Amino acid sequence: MATTLKLFLALCCFISLINIPITEARIREYKWDVKYEYRSPDCYKKLVITINGRTPGPTILAQQGDTVVVHVKNNLMTENLAIHWHGIRQIGTPWFDGTEGVTQCPILPGDTFTYQFVVDRPGTYLYHAHYGMQREAGLYGSIRVSLPDGESEPFGYDYDRSIILTDWYHKSTYEQATGLASIPFGWVGEPQSLLIQGKGRFNCSSPGMTGDVCNTTNPECSPYAMTVVPGMTYRLRVASLTALSALSFQIEGHNMTVVETDGHYVKPFVVQNLFIYSGETYSVLVTTDQDPARNYWLTTNVVSRNATTPPGVGILNYYPNHPRRYPPTNAPSGPIWNDVKPRLAQSQAIRAHQSFIIPPPATSDRVIVLLNTQNNVSGYRRWSVNNVSFTLPHTPYLVGLKQNLLHTFNQVPPPDRLDLTNYDIRSPPPNPNATISDSIYRLKFNTTVDIILQNANSLVLNNSETHPWHLHGHDFWVLGYGEGKFDMANDTKKYNLVDPIMKNTVPVHPYGWTALRFKADNPGAWLFHCHIESHFFMGMGVVFEEGIEKVGKLPSSIMGCGEARHYNRP
């Protein structure tokens, strides 16, 4: 303790000598009551998970270096709970990643669990449920981390706003999960609505609807209105937490300049449609330079699926117009749903800001090629990676690894790659059978790992879906995207090693590939998975272990399930 104090005082003296202002880190403390309540976010009444009576939940506001403390009371009565802090790397606190089955046991009904972690980078992040398919029941919200006092962004703006885009189902998560895990297979179908900041509009005149269940006069489902002052520039933080849908987002009559994604500054570029995938965040600059006598539409549309879901609409309200005053025009139609080229072009356009380039290692120590396919296992429909369909163990990996309970999960590692050369990605799998396993990838600590995500045809002819992949505990460099089958000899020569953007969530486009690189330098057990709720539920994910011997003593609060019950003591 004395040595630590001396080092701290010496550091303070050094900082004062070179005239660097000391910004005192703060503790941002929140108390959340999580429970089910009846709500009508799209005019249709159903049970929704709320935080302190709200969905989306409260926005977490903090500065870089602050410690966030969230006391979560699980009042769901009959359901477990876990909350993931999406984009927060949890350096030194892997047990608070909030991933049930990987980093913690779930929070039992009636219990209170405290998450505590440092937000070490500025940017736009998210939080959401990570137990079963609870996220799509309404448990989600924004995390906004600002720079320390005295520092500034590489772009200017007058005001800061956040919007979360989601899709919305009327069936409960229980009904959806039961269908996915049944024979015959019951697909969740397309969502009924698209929500902008928790508000949408379902057609209550649909057959079978009654006024007590669906009521368009309910103020809960009035369109979301973002009030703006003419002649100003707004930083709009747009995030997606859809359960299924890839989206486009647009603001009628206004360009958007992309300046940040997943906490990293972007070489600015202008879009009319922002394509966004579940788990991604973007900051766009919007200047309110249009006719101030009227309001304008905010719209979101499904892309990459031939969806029946109607567009989501909101209102850009030019003050002093009334926020409920509809624009005099029709809402703009979205882009063609199956046109991949503009979506691929946007992905390829995202480069690191020239003043904030973090160079990737020139080479990697290990290459893992992950082939995403749809399969059948004993008659059940599953998704798999390299012919292995993922399932969670009863004892969280972090506990099993740290406590040397290696019998709690399969010790045979999944393959680093399959025979991609002879695999036809444009045909349904010739051998639809897969293996269900809870095995993991062991990564040598502090090494550089390349991941090639290869998309292919599902079990349905002429169908390849968009998969947004999210890595917990890390950011990765996006080295490139491509169409067709990845060519190890030639496509690696096309990698962007000059100014690649860093992200934590990235899409792999239909019949295409995405190449990532990251450093295995964060001790823990980390999930890497498709962020589509039904796809992860059906097995599309893997777990990476790195530096487990460097993980500190596990808190007893994460114990209580499987063989972790034996360690659930203060």
Side-chain angles (χ1 to χ4, degrees):
M1 181 64 74
T3 302
T4 302
L5 180 59
K6 289 178 182 177
L7 288 172
F8 176 74
L9 292 173
L11 178 62
C12 290
C13 291
F14 172 72
I15 290 173
S16 63
L17 285 172
I18 58 176
N19 297 317
I20 296 177
I22 299 175
T23 301
E24 183 180 354
R26 300 176 179 88
I27 296 177
R28 311 281 184 163
E29 193 163 8
Y30 299 84
K31 292 184 178 180
W32 287 358
D33 179 21
V34 178
K35 62 182 178 180
Y36 272 111
E37 298 184 64
Y38 281 105
R39 289 285 188 270
S40 304
D42 70 342
C43 307
Y44 181 91
K45 185 179 179 181
K46 64 168 286 188
L47 281 172
V48 173
I49 299 178
T50 64
I51 300 175
N52 297 347
R54 298 166 55 184
T55 178
T59 297
I60 290 177
L61 299 174
Q63 273 188 310
Q64 180 181 357
D66 286 352
T67 296
V68 173
V69 180
V70 186
H71 307 284
V72 179
K73 176 69 179 294
N74 180 3
N75 274 324
L76 295 179
M77 307 298 287
T78 59
E79 290 184 43
N80 296 333
L81 174 67
I83 299 179
H84 170 53
W85 315 96
H86 185 112
I88 306 301
R89 293 179 293 178
Q90 300 293 347
I91 297 172
T93 53
W95 43 78
F96 289 142
D97 187 52
T99 316
E100 182 271 331
V102 179
T103 61
Q104 73 168 93
C105 292
I107 309 168
L108 300 178
D111 282 359
T112 297
F113 185 93
T114 298
Y115 291 98
Q116 181 171 323
F117 52 87
V118 174
V119 287
D120 64 306
R121 293 166 307 150
T124 308
Y125 309 104
L126 297 162
Y127 65 83
H128 58 79
H130 218 298
Y131 179 84
M133 296 170 66
Q134 282 178 345
R135 185 182 86 218
E136 61 180 84
L139 202 169
Y140 61 86
S142 296
I143 303 174
R144 190 190 303 173
V145 183
S146 60
L147 283 164
D149 295 339
E151 297 186 27
S152 60
E153 313 274 3
F155 45 83
Y157 54 92
D158 301 298
Y159 297 101
D160 204 335
R161 298 283 189 273
S162 297
I163 287 182
I164 299 181
L165 309 176
T166 52
D167 46 16
W168 193 248
Y169 286 90
H170 292 169
K171 282 187 176 181
S172 70
T173 57
Y174 288 115
E175 292 173 284
Q176 294 180 58
T178 300
L180 295 173
S182 294
I183 299 176
F185 176 71
W187 174 234
V188 298
E190 301 301 321
Q192 278 66 59
S193 302
L194 298 180
L195 308 184
I196 298 178
Q197 198 59 18
K199 290 177 175 288
R201 181 61 64 94
F202 181 69
N203 181 8
C204 289
S205 62
S206 302
M209 292 292 109
T210 57
D212 60 328
V213 174
C214 197
N215 181 1
T216 55
T217 65
N218 189 329
E220 284 186 48
C221 60
S222 57
Y224 169 73
M226 187 177 78
T227 300
V228 295
V229 177
M232 298 292 178
T233 297
Y234 286 79
R235 178 184 186 170
L236 183 56
R237 301 173 189 252
V238 187
S240 172
L241 279 176
T242 52
L244 175 67
S245 311
L247 300 175
S248 73
F249 174 77
Q250 54 191 321
I251 304 174
E252 179 192 11
H254 296 71
N255 288 333
M256 295 177 282
T257 302
V258 180
V259 292
E260 180 241 348
T261 181
D262 291 2
H264 292 276
Y265 299 127
V266 171
K267 183 179 180 180
F269 65 98
V270 177
V271 297
Q272 283 76 46
N273 289 292
L274 177 70
F275 296 108
I276 186 167
Y277 308 91
S278 181
E280 286 192 310
T281 67
Y282 287 95
S283 287
V284 297
L285 300 183
V286 181
T287 301
T288 51
D289 55 3
Q290 299 301 299
D291 180 3
R294 52 160 293 191
N295 290 336
Y296 297 84
W297 291 110
L298 308 171
T299 61
T300 181
N301 298 269
V302 176
V303 294
S304 191
R305 300 184 66 85
N306 191 10
T308 56
T309 310
V313 297
I315 296 172
L316 185 70
N317 167 227
Y318 268 60
Y319 182 82
N321 296 306
H322 195 283
R324 300 287 165 83
R325 181 183 175 188
Y326 278 29
T329 52
N330 293 325
S333 58
I336 300 171
W337 72 269
N338 59 352
D339 188 357
V340 179
K341 289 192 179 299
R343 289 187 276 127
L344 180 61
Q346 178 186 294
S347 293
Q348 293 171 331
I350 303 172
R351 303 295 182 97
H353 190 285
Q354 54 268 32
S355 300
F356 296 88
I357 296 172
I358 303 175
T363 59
S364 65
D365 302 298
R366 184 175 178 182
V367 179
I368 301 175
V369 181
L370 300 179
L371 174 64
N372 306 326
T373 59
Q374 199 175 51
N375 301 78
N376 286 315
V377 180
S378 302
Y380 293 94
R381 183 70 57 90
R382 303 282 298 183
W383 284 97
S384 72
V385 179
N386 289 353
N387 223 37
V388 177
S389 188
F390 177 73
T391 188
L392 288 166
H394 295 296
T395 303
Y397 289 108
L398 189 62
V399 179
L401 288 160
K402 187 63 180 174
Q403 305 300 140
N404 205 33
L405 304 172
L406 301 185
H407 60 281
T408 59
F409 62 93
N410 190 338
Q411 295 300 301
V412 179
D416 276 20
R417 66 188 71 184
L418 296 181
D419 181 13
L420 192 59
T421 303
N422 296 311
Y423 189 88
D424 182 4
I425 65 169
R426 295 191 175 273
S427 299
N431 175 17
N433 296 316
T435 300
I436 293 182
S437 177
D438 56 11
S439 59
I440 65 174
Y441 288 93
R442 302 280 197 121
L443 306 178
K444 187 177 180 181
F445 186 69
N446 221 26
T447 58
T448 300
V449 182
D450 279 4
I451 304 292
I452 313 300
L453 292 165
Q454 176 66 63
N455 214 340
N457 206 98
S458 70
L459 287 173
V460 179
L461 191 64
N462 298 321
N463 176 64
S464 181
E465 302 192 19
T466 300
H467 300 290
W469 278 78
H470 171 55
L471 179 59
H472 293 226
H474 301 80
D475 292 330
F476 48 71
W477 290 275
V478 184
L479 302 183
Y481 300 84
E483 298 176 280
K485 191 187 299 185
F486 183 78
D487 184 336
M488 193 69 70
N490 295 307
D491 286 331
T492 52
K493 299 174 183 177
K494 305 172 189 173
Y495 283 173
N496 174 22
L497 300 177
V498 177
D499 58 354
I501 191 64
M502 296 192 79
K503 288 175 64 49
N504 62 63
T505 305
V506 70
V508 54
H509 296 287
Y511 299 114
W513 57 265
T514 303
L516 321 173
R517 178 168 292 174
F518 72 97
K519 292 275 289 185
D521 57 1
N522 191 6
W526 305 107
L527 188 61
F528 183 43
H529 65 108
C530 178
H531 214 256
I532 293 174
E533 285 278 67
S534 52
H535 290 186
F536 177 52
F537 181 87
M538 295 165 64
M540 188 176 280
V542 301
V543 165
F544 297 125
E545 175 272 319
E546 60 202 62
I548 199 68
E549 69 282 355
K550 300 179 185 298
V551 172
K553 183 181 178 181
L554 303 182
S556 62
S557 61
I558 70 168
M559 313 295 189
C561 61
E563 295 203 19
R565 290 192 301 269
H566 305 306
Y567 298 91
N568 190 18
R569 302 184 186 93

